[in-house]
Amino acid sequence: GRLCGLAMVFETGLAELLQSQAARFLHGFNAEQLRLGVLSGRLELCNLTLNPEPLDSLLLESEIPCVVKAGLLSSAAVQVSLLQGELELTVDGLTLLLSPVCRRLSREEVLAHRTSEVQRLEFVHTRSQSQRRSLEREMFRQLFADYLSRLKVTVRNVHVRLEVEGECGDSRGGNTVFGAILSSCRITPLPLSSGGAAASFVGLPPYGGGSSGNSSGGQHGAASGDGRAAGAELLLAERIDVEGFAMYHDTPDIAKLHIDLETYNATRKCPHGVFERVDQARLSEALSRRLAAQLVAAPAGQLLPPTGFAVGVDMRSQPLREGHHVDSCLTMEVVVHVTGPSRLNFACSTVEYARWLARRMGDFQLWHFLHTEASPGANSSARWHLVRRFLALKRRIQGNKYSLEEAVAMRSHCKEYVRLYKKRFNGPESTIAWRKTLEPLTEEEGVRLEDIELVYPADKLVNFRLMAHAEMKTEAALNGSSPHSTRGVASPSASPASAWSGNAGDLYGRGARELTPLERLHLHGQQGYGAGIYRGLPPPSSSLKIRIDIQAPEGLCWICNLDASAHRTASGPSTPSAVAPSWALALDCSAQPVRVTLVDSIVDASVFGTVEIPPAPEGERNLALLLGRSAAAFASGSPGRRPRGAGHGPRGGGNTTAPSPDSGGEGLAEWCSILEFGGAFQLCSQAKTVFTSSPNSPWDVYVDLSCGQGELEAASERGGRPATFVDGGGKTLPPWNATPAKIVRTCDYKHQRLRVRVPLAMPSGQPGPLAEFFQWCSSAENSSPGRPPGGEPEDSAVAWFARHICTTRNLAVVRARIRLPPLSLGHLADDEAALLPCIDAACHLEHGGLVDGFVVGLHNLRHFAATFLTAAVCPAAAEHSGIGGASRCPGGAPPLPLLPLEEAPPLSLLAGAVLAALGIAGASRGCPQANTSDHAAGVRLSLERSGLTGCCAASGGSPESPAAMVSLSLVTLAVMAGRRIIWDMRDSRLDINADSADICTADIADEISGVHRLFGSALQALLSMGLPLHPRCAALAAWAGASEVLEALASPPHEGSCPPLRGGLVAWAARGALVNLSARQTDVVRWLLQRGHALDEPDAQLGRSLLDWAAWAGDVSLLGLALRGGLLPAPLRRSPGPGVQLLPSPLTLAVASRGTRAVSMLLRAAGDPHAQSGAGGVSPLLVAARH
């Protein structure tokens, strides 16, 4: 009985203590809400109303631009086990209502936030790297040993609701709501002897039930685990199990606000907050109904359907070798294992709202500076002044750009801050003996010090403080070694005023003193009070390596609804009568596991990330992009899938009841596959910081995208020729105009290809979205105000990227490589498809432009771009056959500026136009006629059916407009495809002899002809849409021997849609004979001569004629055509004036090309082997001797 009485007394005292302290965190707390059991060790609080002020302070410190309007908590229980020394915390029924309110911050709040930021940065920059690593290691060890290892946390039934009022919709007067729901979350510490939380996931294969992917992933995980256990010390191990996590989004038409901003602002200072006006029971009931409705809603109606995942967090101390020095670093390993399928359903409006919140978060960083400098304006002039101050702060704080007035003021503030900050260590209470007699910091000076701290960000303030500490260290060394100082104690006769006056003659002999202005200038140098204060602090070397491994064994299915707010018809704005049901896109790989890895390296300050998706099982669809007539097409998840547990047969065979993996559904539920990646998909990327003297360190970015795995097909017995290309089901896939028995490639990817279906029409025949999308891209609504539609450079993502490479310091190096299997391009309503070759390309971009790169089968990318896409002049000797390799430019040539890309049209217009043109070309293939005029008629008919005729007339028909880059891009793709075919079937093969060369050449010509005919029809479609023709398209087509493209330009579908072909094309056709098929180049020359082009017309770039380029290529057919036309080699072509380079003679070019037959023809045509020509004055005979 006495023990129970003591327990009751203790409970009463503890309840009174909790009730007195709970006012800081709770509203209206009383003893009835407390359940306390001293003997059982359990403390429980029920039916609580949270005080928003502590939560608002936490959001402010985290720089989250939100406030808590209301908070409810059903129960919070603490269970203490005194014998085991464990603590278990259980939270149930937590509900938070947030709002992104622009609340004015007080001076005290801003100063506290700035002080916290400065303290965090000082911890990093005022300690050495080894000291910081030792402190961090001990901190984590003690944190886990004393607290986290004894604490178990369970959270249930959490509902967080973000209500945005008056910031959404077309008129920015609508409301929207975002919400997150959590059913259960358990945080459990693991013993350090267990090997860590990540070790519990090693037994789980990262790729689910697959064979190859599982074994590789499991071996990798085991190997890494053994390596960690060998030389690492486990400091922390936690496992987090989450169940029933879901998210939802209420659009403005259905969003309901439970607490409006007017009520919040009126009751923010009240004792009970918003519950002074809002009934707590009704609010709790309304939120419970909304939560219950969300839990029973269909998965298609939720932003993120309920899913579960497990997270393992390990913190280890590992040895780090830096040269010959061995140090320790912290490694955090986070493994996220999604236990169910990953589904995400969002709309374009959701992305817009997320962007708005991101911009609000970026502007929130400026509120700390704006609210302390300016007060709310009472009139229009004051409000405009506040807007100007905000823009100036955004330029100075976020862009780190200063005007001359701001730079001078910052220099003055830096000197004043250093002087005042040093005074904080003066006075009688100073721990430094010789500073006790110096003048301390007064109250007015302290306010002035705070005023300066409110003006500049934390990194600038820490830089000021580091300069002050450097001065104090120098002064300590100076006064400690001075012969006139008595153990560092200043002489009583030395006044602080005279010490700070800077008079060196008065200081010497009087004891302690401070540095003079000249000494301070010598100490800091030009980088101190000069450019150093504007650059800020250099990024510190990190001591924490982070590795995040995300595994989704059951794949993902993410659905995007192209709602009316982001996808409008060309007839006018979004209205219920004018807008059809919106289309939907789905990124689907439900049959394939997904693995994402992110690694933060502390050695080179880089972040490396990979995305790996293995190939799907046989009979299942690979990673694909699906198109649905509406979101109803994906209401049940991934369509076209076999039920789990069903047998997997070959595609399209055996089981007739199996759903089609390519299309299905009816009406608004119709869907089809528009992009499918065959084979394994892998994306690797690395972003590394390049340390320079600029204020902002630029980035070194590397990207590698690959799909499938290239394998050589077994050659058939017919003369060593390769087998035909087959798909995963064993079906032969012929090229555009070939039969299955034709030769296709030598390096086709085995059973792998990239399938692209252009959605001009759905499989059922209803119109597709591409025409509407392209009209939206070229409409005035998608252009910036005051600019004509069709793509200004300011609106282009490509132009933005090119400007950042060439003119800014944000991107130092960008390296990219892409490897894709053969591309099957077809129309949804057409069973046949055009087979384009595989892609293997890379580029190296540095500050200034293009340095190097290659496209397999093409010339060196830099030389190719300089020849055709820019005005740069490259010497003819730089032309060579083969792929060119990835070596840097010889002789240290400067990067090639990306001037054409800086004038590129918007990416939406570029992609939409090219896809629409290729779709029109594919739809026009059904015409039975074979001549060019009938092909033009088919293109015209397809354009009229889709409603694209003349839809881009408003884009501007000038060849110099940015929209002309669309036609140039299409012709460039045609050239790349043709050159790749030559590489696959001839240049990369070693088994071609003289007997099979003619057969191989004929097959190559047929392949190239089919590809060029496709792009020729697509170019006709572009011109009929109203897009202008780039002036270099004809020259590029002539160089590649694309007679089909030239014929398309000569006979457009509509009169006046294409300008007449210019001169110089004969020389361009002869110039391409070096690397292309001689027969096709000769056909192009004959075709041009039949249409009135002059035989002796030179090219506009180098001034060389057909005879020169034919001799350089060693092409006997073109050389004979030139000689028969009367182009005889001149004995000597002298310079027109002194200092002008002489052009080499045709005979010299033929000798340099090692064309024996060409040299013989020129010698018989009176070519002089002794005539000197060229820059060095060498003769053909001397060139032959050198070679």
Side-chain angles (χ1 to χ4, degrees):
R2 181 177 300 178
L3 182 60
C4 294
L6 292 177
M8 294 180 61
V9 173
F10 182 75
E11 290 178 3
T12 304
L14 183 59
E16 294 177 355
L17 178 63
L18 291 176
Q19 188 172 359
S20 62
Q21 297 295 327
R24 298 175 50 192
F25 306 97
L26 301 175
H27 279 322
F29 179 75
N30 53 56
E32 297 179 357
Q33 297 173 313
L34 175 63
R35 299 175 183 175
L36 180 61
V38 176
L39 300 180
S40 62
R42 182 176 178 83
L43 173 65
E44 184 177 0
L45 304 175
C46 302
N47 301 325
L48 304 177
T49 303
L50 303 180
N51 184 6
E53 291 185 1
L55 299 177
D56 291 344
S57 301
L58 180 61
L59 295 176
L60 178 63
E61 290 296 328
S62 305
E63 295 189 351
I64 299 177
C66 294
V67 295
V68 179
K69 294 193 294 185
L72 301 175
L73 180 61
S74 298
S75 66
V78 178
Q79 181 69 46
V80 181
S81 177
L82 299 179
L83 298 180
Q84 288 81 15
E86 295 180 354
L87 179 66
E88 183 176 356
L89 175 63
T90 303
V91 178
D92 191 3
L94 177 62
T95 303
L96 296 177
L97 265 69
L98 308 180
S99 178
V101 178
C102 182
R103 181 175 63 89
R104 183 171 182 82
L105 305 177
S106 63
R107 177 187 175 92
E108 291 74 16
E109 289 177 326
V110 175
L111 190 60
H113 178 73
R114 194 68 42 79
T115 303
S116 177
E117 288 182 325
V118 170
Q119 291 176 354
R120 287 195 296 264
L121 288 178
E122 279 187 324
F123 175 81
V124 176
H125 290 275
T126 58
R127 292 173 173 83
S128 63
Q129 187 173 0
S130 59
Q131 291 177 345
R132 190 172 70 252
R133 288 175 176 175
S134 177
L135 289 175
E136 291 174 348
R137 183 172 60 253
E138 293 299 325
M139 180 184 66
F140 281 106
R141 180 186 289 112
Q142 295 298 328
L143 177 65
F144 183 78
D146 297 340
Y147 301 100
L148 297 182
S149 63
R150 307 175 186 271
L151 177 63
K152 296 180 180 180
V153 180
T154 302
V155 181
R156 303 189 188 95
N157 302 325
V158 178
H159 184 194
V160 180
R161 184 178 174 92
L162 177 64
E163 299 181 347
V164 183
E165 180 178 353
E167 298 287 350
C168 306
D170 296 335
S171 59
R172 297 189 64 83
N175 307 324
T176 188
V177 175
F178 289 90
I181 301 172
L182 178 64
S183 297
S184 174
C185 176
R186 296 186 303 273
I187 304 176
T188 307
L190 299 180
L192 301 182
S193 59
S194 63
S200 61
F201 295 98
V202 173
L204 298 175
Y207 288 147
S211 57
S212 61
N214 294 345
S215 60
S216 61
Q219 293 173 2
H220 174 73
S224 61
D226 296 340
R228 290 191 300 264
E233 177 189 1
L234 185 61
L235 305 178
L236 183 149
E238 295 279 343
R239 182 184 176 98
I240 305 173
D241 295 291
V242 177
E243 296 178 0
F245 179 72
M247 298 177 64
Y248 65 89
H249 172 218
D250 294 342
T251 55
D253 54 343
I254 62 173
K256 179 182 179 181
L257 301 181
H258 294 287
I259 301 176
D260 54 15
L261 291 180
E262 182 181 359
T263 304
Y264 168 75
N265 293 326
T267 59
R268 195 166 65 91
K269 298 298 183 179
C270 296
H272 296 281
V274 295
F275 297 109
E276 294 285 346
R277 295 187 180 181
V278 179
D279 185 64
Q280 180 176 350
R282 290 184 178 180
L283 177 62
S284 179
E285 183 181 356
L287 292 175
S288 299
R289 288 197 304 267
R290 181 64 183 90
L291 180 60
Q294 187 65 32
L295 292 177
V296 299
Q302 304 185 41
L303 180 61
L304 178 65
T307 184
F309 55 90
V311 181
V313 181
D314 292 339
M315 181 72 72
R316 302 176 184 272
S317 176
Q318 289 183 322
L320 175 66
R321 180 177 297 275
E322 298 179 353
H324 299 283
H325 176 67
V326 179
D327 201 349
S328 62
C329 70
L330 297 178
T331 302
M332 176 181 289
E333 299 181 3
V334 181
V335 179
V336 181
H337 187 85
V338 182
T339 56
S342 175
R343 291 198 57 183
L344 189 64
N345 305 304
F346 62 96
C348 291
S349 59
T350 309
V351 179
E352 292 296 328
Y353 301 148
R355 290 178 57 188
W356 178 84
L357 290 175
R359 290 194 300 267
R360 173 63 66 90
M361 186 173 294
D363 295 341
F364 180 73
Q365 301 174 358
L366 306 178
W367 294 359
H368 309 282
F369 305 93
L370 184 65
H371 290 176
T372 57
E373 291 186 5
S375 59
N379 50 31
S380 60
S381 300
R383 287 192 292 269
W384 275 114
H385 175 72
L386 189 63
V387 171
R388 287 192 293 269
R389 289 296 304 160
F390 176 79
L391 296 178
L393 281 172
K394 195 169 186 177
R395 169 181 50 82
R396 180 171 66 88
I397 302 300
Q398 295 183 350
N400 200 26
K401 299 178 181 178
Y402 298 84
S403 63
L404 180 59
E405 180 182 0
E406 293 171 341
V408 173
M410 183 176 178
R411 182 184 177 93
S412 175
H413 289 164
C414 176
K415 294 182 178 181
E416 184 180 5
Y417 187 88
V418 171
R419 179 177 63 84
L420 296 178
Y421 182 77
K422 290 168 56 179
K423 282 191 173 185
R424 296 175 59 179
F425 302 90
N426 299 342
E429 298 180 357
S430 176
T431 57
I432 304 176
W434 62 272
R435 284 191 174 272
K436 293 180 179 294
T437 58
L438 298 182
E439 182 180 357
L441 185 70
T442 64
E443 183 178 355
E444 292 77 7
E445 291 174 337
V447 175
R448 178 56 182 166
L449 196 67
E450 293 179 354
D451 292 339
I452 299 178
E453 290 179 348
L454 294 176
V455 175
Y456 298 100
D459 60 331
K460 299 294 190 297
L461 298 177
V462 174
N463 197 10
F464 296 167
R465 292 190 178 189
L466 291 178
M467 297 172 65
H469 284 292
E471 291 186 10
M472 289 191 293
K473 289 182 180 179
T474 306
E475 291 168 353
L478 180 64
N479 290 290
S481 61
S482 174
H484 301 283
S485 62
T486 307
R487 294 185 180 182
V489 179
S491 173
S493 61
S495 63
S498 62
W500 181 252
S501 63
N503 190 350
D506 296 337
L507 289 175
Y508 289 110
R510 293 190 179 185
R513 70 179 184 89
E514 293 182 326
L515 296 178
T516 63
L518 183 60
E519 290 172 339
R520 291 196 299 270
L521 181 62
H522 289 170
L523 174 64
H524 301 300
Q526 294 298 327
Q527 301 300 324
Y529 290 116
I533 62 175
Y534 306 109
R535 295 195 184 102
L537 292 173
S541 56
S542 175
S543 60
L544 178 62
K545 180 180 179 181
I546 302 176
R547 176 186 174 89
I548 302 176
D549 191 356
I550 304 175
Q551 304 172 6
E554 298 187 21
L556 57 86
C557 182
W558 293 354
I559 303 170
C560 176
N561 185 15
L562 306 177
D563 50 7
S565 61
H567 187 73
R568 302 177 181 174
T569 59
S571 60
S574 175
T575 59
S577 60
V579 178
S582 58
W583 296 80
L585 292 174
L587 181 64
D588 174 49
C589 60
S590 300
Q592 303 158 269
V594 181
R595 183 173 187 177
V596 180
T597 305
L598 298 175
V599 180
D600 180 17
S601 176
I602 66 176
V603 178
D604 54 356
S606 65
V607 178
F608 185 79
T610 60
V611 179
E612 298 174 323
I613 302 177
E618 186 179 359
E620 290 287 352
R621 183 175 59 241
N622 285 283
L623 172 64
L625 181 65
L626 309 180
L627 173 67
R629 186 59 191 85
S630 66
F634 312 112
S636 59
S638 174
R641 297 289 186 185
R642 300 170 186 262
R644 292 188 178 274
H648 298 285
R651 224 179 198 182
N655 188 6
T656 58
T657 61
S660 172
D662 300 329
S663 62
E666 297 179 355
L668 295 180
E670 186 177 6
W671 64 273
C672 59
S673 173
I674 59 176
L675 176 63
E676 184 175 345
F677 293 88
F681 176 87
Q682 184 177 25
L683 174 63
C684 304
S685 178
Q686 183 183 28
K688 182 170 61 176
T689 302
V690 179
F691 298 106
T692 62
S693 59
S694 61
N696 297 325
S697 299
W699 290 95
D700 180 357
V701 181
Y702 170 75
V703 179
D704 189 319
L705 174 63
S706 63
C707 177
Q709 182 179 2
E711 298 179 3
L712 293 178
E713 292 283 359
S716 63
E717 299 178 356
R718 296 176 294 174
R721 293 184 294 177
T724 56
F725 183 77
V726 295
D727 67 353
K731 178 182 177 181
T732 302
L733 299 175
W736 169 306
N737 62 338
T739 60
K742 260 194 175 299
I743 300 176
V744 183
R745 314 278 190 269
T746 60
C747 57
D748 276 337
Y749 284 53
K750 185 177 182 181
H751 308 324
Q752 299 166 354
R753 62 172 175 169
L754 183 67
R755 296 180 177 88
V756 178
R757 301 176 181 90
V758 184
L760 280 176
M762 300 295 286
S764 63
Q766 60 176 328
L770 190 56
E772 183 182 356
F773 169 73
F774 186 55
Q775 291 174 359
W776 174 78
C777 291
S778 58
S779 64
E781 295 181 359
N782 195 35
S783 300
S784 300
R787 300 191 181 101
E792 288 291 333
E794 292 80 1
D795 302 329
S796 173
V798 180
W800 176 89
F801 176 77
R803 286 194 300 270
H804 276 70
I805 287 291
C806 296
T807 59
T808 68
R809 294 183 177 270
N810 297 333
L811 294 175
V813 180
V814 177
R815 293 163 293 170
R817 179 164 185 177
I818 179 172
R819 290 168 291 178
L820 297 177
L823 188 146
S824 174
L825 179 64
H827 186 259
L828 292 180
D830 195 356
D831 296 335
E832 298 181 2
L835 185 63
L836 301 181
C838 50
I839 300 175
D840 190 355
C843 67
H844 184 129
L845 304 174
E846 286 187 1
H847 177 70
L850 175 65
V851 172
D852 199 2
F854 70 91
V855 178
V856 173
L858 198 64
H859 286 296
N860 178 272
L861 185 59
R862 185 181 186 277
H863 169 71
F864 179 81
T867 304
F868 298 105
L869 307 183
T870 69
V873 178
C874 293
E879 294 195 1
H880 58 279
S881 58
I883 64 175
S887 60
R888 288 181 173 269
C889 301
L896 185 66
L898 305 179
L899 295 178
L901 295 184
E902 294 184 21
E903 298 296 328
L907 190 60
S908 59
L909 176 65
L910 184 62
V914 172
L915 285 177
L918 291 174
I920 291 295
S924 63
R925 288 171 48 198
C927 296
Q929 296 84 355
N931 54 55
T932 305
S933 61
D934 289 332
H935 275 291
V939 171
R940 187 186 309 112
L941 181 60
S942 299
L943 284 170
E944 293 175 354
R945 289 177 179 176
S946 58
L948 294 178
T949 303
C951 62
C952 295
S955 302
S958 173
E960 304 299 331
S961 64
M965 290 288 294
V966 179
S967 59
L968 181 62
S969 302
L970 189 65
V971 177
T972 305
L973 290 176
V975 174
M976 292 170 56
R979 288 291 303 136
R980 178 67 198 222
I981 292 175
I982 297 177
W983 168 260
D984 290 345
M985 301 182 64
R986 188 190 68 181
D987 294 347
S988 63
R989 294 185 58 183
L990 302 178
D991 58 343
I992 298 180
N993 49 32
D995 298 333
S996 60
D998 296 337
I999 302 177
C1000 180
T1001 302
D1003 294 334
I1004 295 174
D1006 292 340
E1007 289 280 334
I1008 296 177
S1009 177
V1011 171
H1012 286 177
R1013 186 174 296 112
L1014 169 67
F1015 284 94
S1017 300
L1019 187 59
Q1020 286 182 330
L1022 282 181
L1023 299 178
S1024 300
M1025 292 176 189
L1027 290 169
L1029 180 68
H1030 198 278
R1032 293 187 178 90
C1033 285
L1036 187 58
W1039 176 86
S1043 58
E1044 295 80 8
V1045 176
L1046 293 175
E1047 292 174 358
L1049 295 177
S1051 57
H1054 299 276
E1055 296 294 335
S1057 60
C1058 178
L1061 299 179
R1062 298 181 179 179
L1065 298 182
V1066 174
W1068 276 106
R1071 186 173 182 174
L1074 175 67
V1075 292
N1076 298 310
L1077 296 181
S1078 174
R1080 289 187 58 83
Q1081 301 301 127
T1082 305
D1083 293 341
V1084 171
V1085 171
R1086 295 181 184 276
W1087 184 87
L1088 291 172
L1089 294 178
Q1090 292 176 0
R1091 279 155 179 79
H1093 288 259
L1095 183 66
D1096 57 347
E1097 59 182 9
D1099 60 348
Q1101 190 178 34
L1102 297 177
R1104 293 172 180 169
S1105 63
L1106 170 64
L1107 183 63
D1108 298 323
W1109 291 115
W1112 170 244
D1115 195 303
V1116 179
S1117 59
L1118 285 178
L1119 195 60
L1121 183 62
L1123 294 177
R1124 287 193 299 270
L1127 296 180
L1128 297 178
L1132 180 63
R1133 293 188 290 182
R1134 298 184 179 278
S1135 172
V1140 179
Q1141 178 180 351
L1142 293 176
L1143 295 177
S1145 64
L1147 183 58
T1148 304
L1149 295 174
V1151 172
S1153 66
R1154 294 185 174 90
T1156 307
R1157 298 180 58 188
V1159 172
S1160 301
M1161 293 179 63
L1162 291 173
L1163 289 176
R1164 291 195 300 268
D1168 187 2
H1170 301 285
Q1172 297 181 354
S1173 62
V1178 296
S1179 63
L1181 187 59
L1182 182 58
V1183 172
R1186 289 180 177 179
H1187 283 70

